[in-house]
Amino acid sequence: MPPQHDRPPPPATERPHRGVTATVSAVLRHDRGALAAATVRVVGLSALAGLLMTALIFALSWPLFTRMRNRRAWYHHLEDPYLHDHTALARVALGTLPLYLLLLGIGSAALQTVCSRAAAAKTQPLREDRPPPAAFSRLRPVLAVYTLRGLIVWPLPLLAAYLATSLTGDRLDTPEPLERGSLPYHLVAASPAAALFVAVLLRLAFALAPAAAATGLGPRAALRRSWSLTRTRAGATRVLALALPLAALCAAVTRLATQLALPLRPLVRSLLEQATGNFFAAYYAGILAPVIVGILATAATTLPLTCTAFAALHDHLRPARISPRDPGGTTAASTA
């Protein structure tokens, strides 16, 4: 009978490799206090900043609301119906949308750094001679990744939608650059849907970039790593299997929270109309109130889970780690 050799025990600094679900469960259970405190802090500050920004935008747009009120009074004097034109307000909303996206990106980046730090503690323990990083030490690189990813993903569908609208038109009584019913007309009309499909694929390909930036990579290196991890069949399948239920969860929570917050609409409308005497400002503020509550509720309940899940998936898919005692391997892995 051949002799049997005892296997050497694993080093004390290494931990067995966990699956994504086990890692997420362990992080949410063990670090629930720290994650809850960070979520409350980030969501609370974002809500305060968003409220101040919305109040400032309403104050700057007050001449538009005043003109709507005056025109409504004039048409009422003439006993004619008044249908207000919201084109100017739509332009204001589009012009201020990047500010809200920046605020959302800052909050998401802050939570991503905290969740990635907690997930890394479960999968790749730090070296004994290296102090743990601060909770928000990687905020700027993660925020840069969000910005670069948005600039890469979303200009294509926006440009396609603008070109399709300008070439096909949206009114039957105006001349159109392309003949209605022709093949070029159908191709241009379908281009926004195709561009949106490409944008969704790119968004999935870069889904692991914030988690990669939180581990120490630069913005461009994080995007490249996410692309390399998700372009394989196994990586694409894992990302898709994780992204679909999380997206469905976010949509369901947003819908539920918005519906539960609908009683705020008449309350905000009546209070603001009594305070300012402007029906249109109160009307649009009432529309925004349930939407804002739904977004904040979704961020507070789903962002910690989402950020932790993608951080755990990134650590699961990333190349095999070199032993933390090897400084040369650590350096090579950090520059990969």
Side-chain angles (χ1 to χ4, degrees), residues 289-311:
V291 176
I292 294 175
V293 171
I295 293 175
L296 292 176
T298 304
T301 54
T302 62
L303 267 184
L305 173 62
T306 301
C307 295
T308 304
F310 279 108

Side-chain angles (χ1 to χ4, degrees), residues 127-178:
R127 293 174 53 184
E128 297 178 357
D129 57 345
R130 181 181 301 175
F136 301 108
S137 60
R138 298 296 301 174
L139 178 60
R140 292 178 60 184
V142 177
L143 181 58
V145 165
Y146 277 105
T147 304
L148 288 178
R149 187 175 65 180
L151 293 177
I152 293 173
V153 172
W154 299 118
L156 178 62
L158 294 178
L159 181 60
Y162 173 78
L163 292 178
T165 302
S166 61
L167 292 178
T168 59
D170 55 356
R171 297 182 180 179
L172 297 177
D173 56 349
T174 57
E176 299 174 357
L178 296 177

Side-chain angles (χ1 to χ4, degrees), residues 213-240:
T215 61
L217 293 181
R220 290 184 294 179
L223 291 174
R224 288 196 297 267
R225 171 174 286 184
S226 179
W227 179 271
S228 64
L229 292 179
T230 57
R231 67 181 180 181
T232 62
R233 180 178 300 179
T237 303
R238 298 293 295 273
V239 169
L240 188 62

Side-chain angles (χ1 to χ4, degrees), residues 16 21 58 63 76 78 116-117 124 140 179 182 191 220 234 249 279 288 316:
T21 304
F58 267 70
H76 180 72
L78 297 178
S116 296
R117 180 170 175 263
Q124 45 176 351
R140 292 178 60 184
E179 180 182 358
S182 61
S191 61
R220 290 184 294 179
L249 176 63
F279 167 79
L288 288 177
H316 184 77

Side-chain angles (χ1 to χ4, degrees), residues 91 114 150:
R91 293 174 181 174
V114 176

